[in-house]
Amino acid sequence: MKKCIIPLWLLTALLPAGAVLAQTPYKLPPQEVIDIVEAPPTPSADVSPSGRHLMLSAYESMPSIGYLSQPLLRIAGIRITPANNSRQQTTFYTGITIKEIATGKETEIMLPENALLGRARWSPDERLITFPRYTDTGAELWIADVGTGRARRLTAAVLNLTAGRGYIWHPDGKRLLVWMIPAGRGEPPQPSRVPAGPVVQESDGTVSQVRTYQDLLKDPRDEALFDYYATSRLMEIDTETGAVTPLGESGIYSSADYSPDGRYLLVDRIERPYSYAVSYYSFPHVLEIWDSRGALVRRVADLPLADQVPLHGVQTGPRSMSWRPLEDAALVWVEALDGGDPKTETEFRDELYTLPAPFTGTPRPLYQTHHRFAGIGWLEKKGLALISEYDWTRRWSTTSLVHVDKPATEPKVIFDLSTQDRYGDPGRPVARETARGETVLITEGNSIYLSGPGASPRGDRPFLDKMDLTTLKTKRLFQCGEACYETFSGFSGNGTDSIVIQHESKTDVPNYFLVSLKKNTRRQLTRFSDPAPQLTGISKQLITYTRDDGVDLSGTLYLPVNYRQGERLPLVLWAYPVEYSDPAIAGQVRGSAHRFTFFRGYSQLFFLTQGYAVLDGAQMPVVGDPETMNDTFVEQIVGSARAAIDKLDEMGVIDPNRVGVGGHSYGAFMTANLLAHCDLFAAGIARSGAYNRTLTPFGFQSERRTFWEAPRIYFTLSPFMHADKVNEPILLIHGMADNNSGTFPIQSERFFHALKGHGATARLVMLPNESHGYRARESVLHVLAEMFDWFDTHVKNRHIVNR
């Protein structure tokens, strides 16, 4: 058969009139913006589990488009880079420094030149750290001495970083369990030029409602590739002698964890049959207990394919299985009592069980929850735990103090509140790691410690409290000041007299300090500098206003450097809708105007460099009954937008005729709806959005109804269905490899097609090899240039109102 080659001129002539189809070179924003984007980021800083050290890690802020363009497998819900047999990494660390908090001594880890690393992990005793090093031929495992900085390679490039954790420490701090590529694996499965037959999926009449996931298995070759890259051999390595001991047989191990005494392993192994409708973590899997030699002790559970879990429900059978802290080897897990269906009427929804070594008896029930189990925190007092449960109908969380070993002891409710109530948030219990690597809640007598955001009408003021579990009274130990933003990072050393905090303000870059709670003194630990000092003079303030229906709103207003009082600027309003059940909670202030502003990536804040005002985080609450709140979605976001514009107009800082709106993901969905249903904006920018809700028929965001239960809502809320009403210019940007549930690239492609068909002014930018967020340097700079050009043309240079 002869190939038919269509000349480019003929292909162009066949395109519809008005169509523009081209792959253009990457664009650049102004040089001042490039300089800020490419400025080296401040290192990441992590307090060690004991609070004795700070780990300072330098990293590359952006990969190149060349790196993102290397071969990539998008299968089973994950993205695998075949070159190094790992999940796709877009952030690499390039240097590590360990700082001793007590003395200030710094030790630089000695690394090979131009090393690209994964995140480091501490050994239980904090003498050592381990990290993967990525090379052209694979990923190696390295180990470094914290005291001397000496680093050495522990394995060749055989580390498997696809479906499992890659490596974990043994409780003794001397051995590591490592996921390795099986020896003699051979070459990967090759595509066949001739298909063996059609790809078939079948429904047997059982209800199976799942969200619309991407990067799934598509055919038998994908299954073979998943087997090839995800299969590992678990090896135990002695870091002192280098001895390597194989454990068990090769398999796809999604997790493996040592018991606190190190004598057993809890292993989670994925098995066939796979599914083309869900990700790998929903595939059938087996939970097993192995002994220290890798021999099977007990097969704890066989969990089937989880493609029939009710919407908003959980899988039946054991889940959240883990080792119980402060016990040598005792499993604890939870099982549903309602068939996993949240709509089933029942007094108790979940039950906790335990099974201690030697794992031969019958599991013992520990506790039943009235609502869905949401987590457990074990106190340092043996047998005591804080157990949380969640009522999805009310978005309500209840946490109780339970003595799991004394069933006759009445549980005591400690917290009982809306999960959305930031003003009432008591904070989260502070935990530490034991010498064996167990996570426990710090307990002194009958008291625990709570760290929280400290939300208030004036903004967030984070705090550290000590709570007496007997009286439920709290004592405030630390709180952020009025004109700054400070957060608790952890206790320093073995006691609770000193804490490490992160301090920042509008003009102070985030840095770490050691604070003595007894002496009320502080010592600076890090001295990071401003990566973009040319923007220090921006103005930033929290503003509050009220929607027509009485709901209080807020946002952060930014004004450019050298703004002149009374000058009316073009405005960029950037937002993301959030659903609430209570209007009073919806109106709570979120965030702080006293935080330092970093200009990173393709942030909308870069519009400040171009002479715009920016209202960032403009609240767009959708308030109502969780079952029906989206019935008034459009009316509520339009009301919120109008209230924000009116407020800024009243303040005299914006020209209301030059307002652009933008958002990312659900914010893009909001943007398109605003342009379709109101005339408040001159133009819009919608990034990585979903515009046709019939393509997400089993729910989206917090929508609990399916398309078949509420077809009118799915139709009304879909901007695609109202493309004929979009009469303001809209810029659509989307990653061609978007992996977010629901935001398939076709969402933007079809929406643009509909807009073009109705004569709208629109531009579609599809970014090669980019996902839901954009990472490559070239892509980031191009997105900024596109956004500037679009709003300069359609917002800034509109008729300027003189008032």
Side-chain angles (χ1 to χ4, degrees), residues 356-493:
F359 314 108
T360 54
T362 301
R364 177 171 66 89
L366 292 178
Y367 184 71
Q368 292 182 327
T369 61
H370 291 280
H371 302 290
R372 187 66 68 209
F373 171 81
I376 185 168
W378 297 91
L379 275 64
E380 289 183 293
K381 285 189 172 182
K382 195 171 181 180
L384 287 176
L386 291 179
I387 299 177
S388 298
E389 49 191 283
Y390 177 66
D391 179 2
W392 80 299
T393 62
R394 298 187 299 149
R395 297 194 174 105
W396 201 267
S397 175
T398 303
T399 300
S400 302
L401 178 65
V402 180
H403 200 307
V404 297
D405 295 328
K406 296 181 180 179
T409 303
E410 187 72 19
K412 181 177 183 177
V413 174
I414 306 298
F415 309 123
D416 189 46
L417 72 164
S418 166
T419 57
Q420 297 181 316
D421 182 7
R422 284 180 55 83
Y423 290 178
D425 186 352
R428 302 292 179 268
V430 179
R432 72 171 183 87
E433 285 191 13
T434 70
R436 302 193 300 186
E438 307 152 289
T439 299
V440 292
L441 305 183
I442 298 176
T443 313
E444 286 188 0
N446 292 319
S447 297
I448 60 172
Y449 292 87
L450 301 170
S451 174
S456 74
R458 291 184 295 175
D460 289 358
R461 293 183 59 200
F463 64 84
L464 175 68
D465 281 353
K466 187 175 185 179
M467 171 184 261
D468 188 312
L469 293 176
T470 303
T471 65
L472 300 188
K473 292 182 178 179
T474 59
K475 177 183 178 182
R476 184 131 301 175
L477 304 177
F478 169 82
Q479 184 160 26
C480 165
E482 290 278 358
C484 62
Y485 185 80
E486 296 177 329
T487 56
F488 169 80
S489 297
F491 288 105
S492 179

Side-chain angles (χ1 to χ4, degrees), residues 6-123:
I6 302 177
L8 180 60
W9 64 267
L10 178 57
L11 179 62
T12 305
L14 293 174
L15 289 173
V20 177
L21 178 65
Q23 183 168 17
T24 63
Y26 286 101
K27 298 165 65 174
L28 294 174
Q31 187 61 46
E32 62 175 332
V33 173
I34 296 176
D35 292 341
I36 297 170
V37 170
E38 294 186 337
T42 57
S44 68
D46 297 293
V47 181
S48 68
S50 73
R52 299 197 310 267
H53 302 92
L54 268 180
M55 184 188 297
L56 308 176
S57 304
Y59 64 96
E60 291 183 341
S61 60
M62 297 175 292
S64 68
I65 192 63
Y67 171 78
L68 282 191
S69 301
Q70 66 180 316
L72 185 71
L73 295 174
R74 301 166 58 182
I75 54 176
I78 53 178
R79 297 187 166 184
I80 299 172
T81 304
N84 48 36
N85 213 103
S86 76
R87 295 196 184 196
Q88 183 187 39
Q89 298 296 314
T90 57
T91 298
F92 292 102
Y93 296 90
T94 55
I96 302 172
T97 299
I98 305 298
K99 188 179 187 76
E100 199 172 279
I101 291 176
T103 64
K105 174 189 173 185
E106 291 190 356
T107 303
E108 183 178 351
I109 303 301
M110 293 176 275
L111 300 168
E113 188 176 0
N114 299 321
L116 297 177
L117 315 175
R119 200 160 191 86
R121 300 178 192 168
W122 294 95
S123 64

